[in-house]
Every structure is written in C-alpha cells, then in structure tokens.
Amino acid sequence: MTAFAQESENIKFLGNKFTKPQNFSEFINLLDFEIEAGPGMYINTESKTVSAPSPIIYPVTMGFLWPNNTFLAVQPNMSFFMMNHLWYNNKALPAEIENRTSTTLSFMFTLPAVISIYMGKTRLQLMPGISILTRFAFLANNINADDSGFSGSAASDIANINGWFWNNARFFYLSSGVSFLYNIYNDIKIGPVINLHIPLVPLVTGRSEE
C-alpha cells in the first residue's frame, strides 16, 4: 500500500515536544491526511471444499494523523473493501464468485496509536491499535431471494450471514502496522504500509473461526 501525508519541517529524531494548539489554524497545521490503496489478503482457515481460498481484497483507506510532529500520536482511519460470502454449517464463509450468495460491503474502522521516528525526509511509524469491522451483506447480482440456500433460501442465508457478522464480538479486531514514508515533493509523502488485523474471537476462545 501507499500513504500520502503532509510534510512537517524541523522535527527531531524522536519528534518534537507536544505544544497545545492555541487556535484552529495551529490545530490544522498539526494534522496530516492519509490515503492508502493496494492489495490485501483475507485469510480463510475454513475448508476450501465449501469456501473460497484466502481471497485477495483491495481496501481503500482514508484517515488522518494528529499531531504530525511528535513521538506519540493517533491515526484514526477507515478502510473499505468488498467480498463475497456464502452460508454453510452456521458460518458465513468467504465465497468464490460462482458460489456466492452475498456481496458484502466491509468497513474497517481503526484507532491506532502511532510511534514515529523521524530521519530527515523519511518517517518510520509503528501503529498498534484496535479495529471494528462492520459488514453488510446483500443478495449478489443474479441471486434471487427465493433461490435455494443452505438454510432454505438465499434470503434466509443473507439474514444469517448478517447476524453472524455481529455475534460473539466477531466485529472486534486487534491491529498493528508499520509504514516507511518518504517526502517526495512539498507536502506529499509516499511509501509502503503494512497492516495486520487479527480477530479477537480466536484469541479468546481458541477456535479457528473468524
């Protein structure tokens, strides 16, 4: 992925001491906007005979960093991506396009703490945090509500899929990330970003489900 951010000048190796902004203009000057785009992988641990291999997704992320010149900061952001799902054996599973029941809109809201190291025109950032994944499934194209489904019909499968997304804290994730940004021109930085989101349920229960 790539990220774009405003350039902050005259920053020490471990960042500058935080100074409370005195007005709105100073607040804005401490704000960096970010855009990330690139491929990702949704790791599927369920049987591939009934669900898709780990699908490649293409999230687009927008957010901001504040403050932009200190060792510690926050960087709230939102990612959007789409997936296909099917309902099988009381689980919503990733599906290949020919076997899908739903098209699922996915929004990942992440609140990371940011640890930054400044090296001239480059910036290394470590980003531990928490995420909330909100998902909304609806009938995929060319799928009718009364088509057959694992629970009886495609419509009931969709209802089960949406319910499963919100049960047992499946929407709660732990996140981590690292980025290395380089100032390329004026107020624009660009560089690689790697993010990892781990669902909480397997960590707590020990089960392999998402």
Side-chain angles (χ1 to χ4, degrees):
M1 294 185 178
T2 56
F4 301 85
Q6 296 178 355
E7 167 71 358
S8 299
E9 299 179 351
N10 302 319
I11 304 178
K12 299 176 183 178
F13 180 72
L14 295 179
N16 295 339
K17 181 179 179 180
F18 174 73
T19 301
K20 182 179 178 180
Q22 299 301 308
N23 51 54
F24 184 71
S25 177
E26 290 185 6
F27 176 85
I28 293 298
N29 286 336
L30 293 175
L31 193 67
D32 280 358
F33 294 96
E34 66 155 341
I35 300 174
E36 298 177 15
M41 177 177 288
Y42 184 96
I43 299 176
N44 179 23
T45 60
E46 298 291 336
S47 171
K48 307 308 182 293
T49 60
V50 295
S51 62
S54 298
I56 301 299
I57 57 176
Y58 296 90
V60 176
T61 303
M62 300 185 68
F64 64 87
L65 172 74
W66 193 91
N68 60 13
N69 61 1
T70 58
F71 180 66
L72 292 176
V74 294
Q75 192 173 13
N77 60 73
M78 185 199 75
S79 300
F80 169 75
F81 58 94
M82 299 176 64
M83 288 183 59
N84 300 310
H85 283 89
L86 56 80
W87 181 249
Y88 178 80
N89 198 24
N90 297 319
K91 293 182 181 180
L93 304 179
E96 295 176 303
I97 190 168
E98 62 269 19
N99 297 321
R100 76 199 190 286
T101 301
S102 80
T103 296
T104 303
L105 306 182
S106 303
F107 301 86
M108 179 76 82
F109 298 91
T110 302
L111 181 61
V114 180
I115 301 169
S116 299
I117 297 175
Y118 305 86
M119 298 167 286
K121 291 187 175 183
T122 62
R123 178 187 300 180
L124 174 65
Q125 295 179 327
L126 304 176
M127 301 169 288
I130 58 174
S131 298
I132 300 294
L133 178 58
T134 62
R135 292 178 283 189
F136 306 94
F138 56 91
L139 288 171
N141 189 36
N142 296 325
I143 302 296
N144 298 314
D146 56 358
D147 287 349
S148 62
F150 187 84
S151 63
S153 69
S156 62
D157 279 3
I158 293 294
N160 287 324
I161 289 170
N162 280 312
W164 190 88
F165 286 156
W166 291 101
N167 288 338
N168 298 327
R170 292 188 181 94
F171 53 86
F172 191 77
Y173 283 67
L174 302 179
S175 69
S176 62
V178 60
S179 66
F180 191 81
L181 305 180
Y182 180 79
N183 181 36
I184 59 171
Y185 179 75
N186 288 342
D187 292 337
I188 298 178
K189 284 182 176 287
I190 186 171
V193 181
I194 300 174
N195 294 308
L196 176 66
H197 300 276
I198 303 174
L200 181 64
V201 169
L203 295 179
V204 174
T205 66
R207 298 194 302 267
S208 61
E209 71 173 79
E210 173 193 37

